[in-house]
């Protein structure tokens, strides 16, 4: 089980959003850390086939990102989770289940199980437009898991979650990482600190550091300190002094 | 196949869940039905007691049903004059003229009179009805693709297994079937209203009783069916065009504006029809618009299409043209959405 990203590049007119990124991701949780505008979302969109790269390739076990077989094993939760306001949570999951190639009865069964797992059973029959931000976010996670994906790409998944949900979410991700590739992008270090097996730091479209967490950190250094070392300037830490 | 049907079901559900679509369909239904009998209402016409007059005329016509029509010489004279005009303008070739004459002579005589007010009224109002159908379809299906981008669901769809294959096919088939269903529903409602008000007599009467210059051996009811088939083919082409615009522009508003220009295009453009190929081109343009002058006249026009020496009646050629063109446009729309990029 290997997801190989080879010199992936995305260039807009006069801006390189992702610059020759090469990564090999295997089973486990991979954190993608970077400041806003570092190119994380663009990289993830290319990994989901939503954006055509200017150069390079993405392949899972030799299957190119543009193929249906690739999308069959993909679960994606975008930064801004889109939904139909007039659909119920259950109806929306069943719809996405059909899009993911699940049979109607199985999609129904799976939707119910995921809604229960993410504590949304009580509101399963309610329209999504009545949901709070955290509930929508949990629904976004549920839809990404519908097809039991081998590659799970989560773009800023903890935005909008309260601290309690955030903790629950982390343990869920850690569990999911045991038998699949999970790539989680965030600019909140604590989201990946305890659960990521590997961390990749992204800045100006490039991976500036990456690898196993314990190897990345020097003696006594925390991930947050490492992050600040690389992104301190770009995050504007002095603004709050 | 089952997945495709399920996805189509969801697309239909999305279209019908939009309040705007329901309102547009209800208004369209009210308009096409109301216009069928509006002239009978007091205040809509300078004549008084139109309803009473209509009943008297109907009774008189029913009494005359089954009688031969004797004034056929006028019909033949009108036909000869019209054909000579078309030949002179070069819209019909000499061989085409012979073919038209053959068709004309094949129309059986003597003509038998039947009251056809119900069908006649439906034919007379068909231009308005077609305009309403086009407008309703444009407003309803314009958001088909833009809505996915607006809500952000496009990212989830395009990253899913069927997002670039069956979903696209389902959307295109939904647009086409929705257009056809709206056309069928509104046409049947308009026809039903007209027949209910003016009488359902004369279904098997000759089409020439309503459209004397028609050269085709058809009954009134056959004419109505062919007219509907032609409107359906136009709607298919139009729906495909609207879907292509919506996939490309990603904006329902811009799509509706362009669709409206399309709807009123035939009425806005004056094409010099003295040059035969421009005349043919202008006919094909009108064939994919609501034809606000008279869909019946253009559908059963005396001027055939000449394709490599073969003469094809307009209702067949324009129908096939719209159908094939519509399928081509649907394929283009699918190609555009499959290549769409999010971000």
């Amino acid at each position: 089980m290997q997801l190989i990203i080879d010199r992936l590049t995305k260039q807009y007119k006069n801006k390189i959003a992702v610059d020759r990124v090469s990564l090999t991701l295997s089973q486990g949780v991979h954190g993608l850390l970077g400041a806003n505008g570092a190119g994380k979302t663009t990289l993830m969109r290319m990994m989901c086939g939503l954006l055509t790269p200017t150069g390079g390739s993405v392949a899972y076990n030799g299957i190119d990102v543009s193929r249906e077989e690739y999308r069959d094993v993909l679960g994606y939760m975008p930064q801004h989770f889109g939904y139909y306001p007039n659909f119920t949570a259950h109806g929306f999951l069943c719809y996405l289940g059909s899009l993911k190639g699940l049979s109607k009865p199985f999609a129904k069964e799976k939707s119910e199980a995921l809604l229960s797992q993410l504590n949304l059973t009580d509101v399963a029959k309610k329209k999504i437009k009545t949901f709070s931000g955290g509930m929508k976010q949990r629904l976004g996670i549920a839809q990404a898991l519908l097809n039991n994906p081998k590659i799970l790409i989560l773009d800023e998944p903890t935005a909008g979650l309260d601290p309690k949900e955030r903790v629950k979410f982390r343990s869920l991700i850690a569990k999911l990482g045991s038998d699949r590739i999970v790539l989680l992008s965030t600019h909140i270090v604590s989201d990946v600190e305890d659960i990521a097996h590997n961390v990749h730091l992204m800045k100006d479209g490039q991976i500036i550091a990456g690898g196993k967490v314990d190897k990345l950190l020097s003696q006594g250094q925390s991930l947050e300190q490492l992050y600040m070392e690389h992104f301190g300037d770009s995050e504007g830490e002095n603004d709050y002094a | 196949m089952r997945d495709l049907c399920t996805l189509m079901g969801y697309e239909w559900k999305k279209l019908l869940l939009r309040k705007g679509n329901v309102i547009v369909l209800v208004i369209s239904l009210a308009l096409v039905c109301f216009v069928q009998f509006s002239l009978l209402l007091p205040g809509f016409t300078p004549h008084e007691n139109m309803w009473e007059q209509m009943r008297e005329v109907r009774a008189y016509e029913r009494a005359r049903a089954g009688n031969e029509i004797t004034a056929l010489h006028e019909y033949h004279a009108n036909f000869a004059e019209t054909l000579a005009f078309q030949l002179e303008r070069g819209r019909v070739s000499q061989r085409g003229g012979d073919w038209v004459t053959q068709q004309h002579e094949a129309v059986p005589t003597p003509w038998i009179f039947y009251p056809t007010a119900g069908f006649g009224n439906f034919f007379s109002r068909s231009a308005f009805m077609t305009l309403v159908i086009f407008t309703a379809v444009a407003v309803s299906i314009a958001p088909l693709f833009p809505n996915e981008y607006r809500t952000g669901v496009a990212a989830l769809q395009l990253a899913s297994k069927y997002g670039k294959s069956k979903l696209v096919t389902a959307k295109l088939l939904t647009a086409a079937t929705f257009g056809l269903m709206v056309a069928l529903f509104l046409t049947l409602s308009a026809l039903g209203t007209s027949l209910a008000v003016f009488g359902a007599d004369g279904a098997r009467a000759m089409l020439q009783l309503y459209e004397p210059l028609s050269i085709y051996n058809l009954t009134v009811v056959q004419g109505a069916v062919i007219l509907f088939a032609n409107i359906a083919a136009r709607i298919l082409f139009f729906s495909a065009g609207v879907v292509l615009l919506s996939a490309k522009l990603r904006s329902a508003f811009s799509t509706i504006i362009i669709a409206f220009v399309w709807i009123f295009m035939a009425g806005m453009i004056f094409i010099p029809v003295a040059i035969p190929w421009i005349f043919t081109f202008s006919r094909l343009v009108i064939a994919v618009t609501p034809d606000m002058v008279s869909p019946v006249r253009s559908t059963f026009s005396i001027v055939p299409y000449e394709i490599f020496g073969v003469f094809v009646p307009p209702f067949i050629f324009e129908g096939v043209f719209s159908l094939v063109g519509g399928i081509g446009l649907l394929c283009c729309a699918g190609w555009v959405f499959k290549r769409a990029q999010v971000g």
Side-chain angles (χ1 to χ4, degrees):
Chain A
M1 192 188 284
Q2 266 197 335
L3 181 65
I4 299 173
I5 300 163
D6 184 25
R7 285 164 293 170
L8 201 63
T9 305
K10 183 70 188 178
Q11 182 172 5
Y12 295 103
K13 275 176 191 168
N14 49 10
K15 194 199 171 204
I16 299 177
V18 175
D19 191 6
R20 288 163 293 165
V21 168
S22 292
L23 286 171
T24 301
L25 307 180
S26 50
Q27 199 171 303
V29 180
H30 301 260
L32 185 62
L33 278 170
N36 293 326
K40 304 185 298 289
T41 298
T42 306
L43 173 66
M44 289 186 145
R45 282 177 178 164
M46 285 192 285
M47 290 172 71
C48 294
L50 297 176
L51 274 178
T52 310
T54 313
S57 64
V58 180
Y60 169 73
N61 288 350
I63 306 166
D64 188 74
V65 67
S66 61
R67 294 181 59 180
E68 194 171 288
E69 294 92 321
Y70 179 95
R71 293 197 299 277
D72 194 20
V73 294
L74 175 71
Y76 172 54
M77 187 197 166
Q79 193 174 359
H80 303 288
F81 166 63
Y83 58 91
Y84 300 128
N86 289 320
F87 271 51
T88 63
H90 185 259
F92 189 59
L93 286 185
C94 287
Y95 168 62
L96 289 173
S98 306
L99 275 177
K100 288 167 187 261
L102 309 183
S103 68
K104 236 178 174 176
F106 184 68
K108 199 170 168 242
E109 191 184 310
K110 187 79 183 172
S111 301
E112 280 160 10
L114 283 167
L115 286 169
S116 162
Q117 194 178 350
L118 287 152
N119 212 11
L120 289 168
T121 307
D122 294 346
V123 290
K125 300 288 176 196
K126 286 197 173 162
K127 287 186 177 176
I128 308 173
K129 67 180 173 189
T130 63
F131 282 21
S132 68
M135 284 152 87
K136 285 176 194 164
Q137 207 69 4
R138 278 183 278 155
L139 185 63
I141 296 158
Q143 66 77 27
L145 297 172
L146 269 171
N147 56 334
N148 195 19
K150 292 288 165 207
I151 310 161
L152 186 57
I153 295 177
L154 307 167
D155 194 358
E156 308 267 5
T158 52
L161 295 181
D162 62 35
K164 196 176 147 195
E165 284 170 336
R166 205 174 273 247
V167 172
K168 274 189 184 176
F169 174 74
R170 273 184 224 144
S171 57
L172 173 67
I173 297 294
K175 208 167 114 189
L176 291 169
S178 62
D179 59 350
R180 71 195 81 210
I181 299 164
V182 180
L183 180 64
L184 188 155
S185 93
T186 183
H187 57 266
I188 302 163
V189 178
S190 58
D191 280 350
V192 290
E193 202 163 29
D194 301 326
I195 57 168
H197 306 111
N198 294 277
V199 169
H200 308 277
L201 302 183
M202 201 169 178
K203 189 178 183 182
D204 298 330
Q206 292 182 318
I207 300 289
I208 50 168
K212 289 205 180 296
V213 178
D214 47 357
K215 285 187 183 166
L216 269 179
L217 303 175
S218 49
Q219 194 70 35
Q221 193 186 27
S222 71
L223 189 57
E224 192 150 12
Q225 284 168 329
L226 177 78
Y227 182 84
M228 292 306 286
E229 200 177 284
H230 287 287
F231 300 106
D233 293 341
S234 58
E235 293 285 287
E237 78 278 30
N238 294 327
D239 294 352
Y240 304 106
Chain B
M1 191 64 190
R2 202 168 50 189
D3 293 333
L4 184 64
C5 292
T6 307
L7 290 174
M8 266 185 80
Y10 277 113
E11 292 305 321
W12 266 87
K13 184 180 169 185
K14 279 191 259 173
L15 278 178
L16 296 175
L17 270 180
R18 284 190 69 230
K19 271 186 197 157
N21 287 357
V22 176
I23 292 169
V24 165
L25 289 178
V26 170
I27 291 173
S28 304
L29 177 67
L31 276 175
V32 297
C33 292
F34 174 73
V35 83
Q36 298 297 326
F37 60 84
S38 59
L39 283 177
L40 298 177
L41 297 175
F44 275 82
T45 167
H47 306 291
E48 287 182 8
N49 293 325
M50 282 293 281
W51 180 260
E52 205 51 49
Q53 281 183 36
M54 184 270 291
R55 288 174 60 142
E56 283 171 17
V57 169
R58 192 198 292 174
Y60 171 72
E61 286 185 338
R62 279 181 177 161
R64 284 182 58 216
N67 290 351
E68 272 186 31
I69 295 174
T70 48
L72 271 176
H73 58 277
E74 272 180 33
Y75 161 65
H76 291 299
N78 277 343
F79 168 76
E81 195 184 313
T82 309
L83 180 59
F85 177 77
Q86 303 294 356
L87 284 164
E88 187 192 322
R89 287 291 182 97
R91 294 173 191 169
V92 182
S93 66
Q94 199 54 52
R95 280 188 59 233
D98 296 341
W99 182 85
V100 170
T101 307
Q102 269 176 20
Q103 297 293 314
H104 167 69
E105 283 166 358
V107 175
T109 50
W111 291 6
I112 307 295
F113 178 79
Y114 288 102
T116 54
F119 286 98
N121 183 68
F122 167 72
F123 287 141
S124 304
R125 309 275 175 265
S126 59
F128 178 77
M129 182 191 73
T130 318
L131 180 69
V132 172
I133 294 172
F134 269 66
T135 309
V137 169
V139 175
S140 302
I141 65 173
L144 201 68
F145 285 107
N147 210 30
E148 310 299 5
Y149 296 106
R150 191 182 56 79
T151 55
V153 180
L156 303 177
Q157 292 172 329
L158 290 167
S160 68
K161 184 183 179 186
Y162 293 149
K164 294 183 181 182
S165 51
K166 287 183 181 169
L167 174 68
V168 182
T169 313
K171 276 188 175 294
L172 301 180
L173 289 176
T174 301
T177 52
F178 185 82
L180 293 176
M181 282 300 142
V182 169
L184 182 66
F185 174 63
L186 293 181
T187 305
L188 286 180
S189 304
L191 181 62
T193 308
S194 187
L195 296 184
V197 174
F198 293 95
D201 318 55
R204 283 186 290 173
M206 302 171 69
L207 183 62
Q208 279 76 6
L209 291 184
Y210 174 77
E211 182 62 33
L213 279 177
S214 169
I215 52 168
Y216 305 104
N217 183 15
L218 298 167
T219 62
V220 165
V221 77
Q222 284 169 337
V225 170
I226 290 172
L227 180 68
F228 167 70
N230 240 260
I231 292 172
R234 285 167 193 229
I235 278 293
L236 181 79
F237 188 96
F238 181 70
S239 305
V242 171
V243 163
L244 174 60
L245 285 170
S246 86
K248 186 73 190 162
L249 299 175
R250 298 187 183 189
S251 154
F253 182 72
S254 311
T255 303
I256 290 172
I257 295 291
I258 297 176
F260 275 29
V261 171
W262 180 340
I263 289 172
F264 294 101
M265 178 170 60
M268 289 192 297
I269 301 172
F270 174 75
I271 302 171
V273 289
I275 303 163
W277 75 264
I278 295 183
F279 173 67
T280 305
F281 177 74
S282 70
R283 288 180 79 191
L284 289 175
V285 169
I286 291 169
V288 292
T289 63
D291 186 357
M292 282 179 282
V293 182
S294 169
V296 180
R297 187 144 297 168
S298 58
T299 303
F300 301 106
S301 166
I302 191 171
V303 182
Y305 285 88
E306 186 174 350
I307 313 293
F308 305 115
V310 177
F311 298 97
V312 188
F315 55 85
I316 294 177
F317 186 81
E318 289 175 1
V320 172
F321 172 78
S322 302
L323 202 67
V324 173
I327 292 168
L329 285 181
L330 282 176
C331 294
C332 290
W335 183 76
V336 168
F337 188 65
K338 277 179 199 172
R339 288 171 56 89
Q341 306 220 4
V342 179

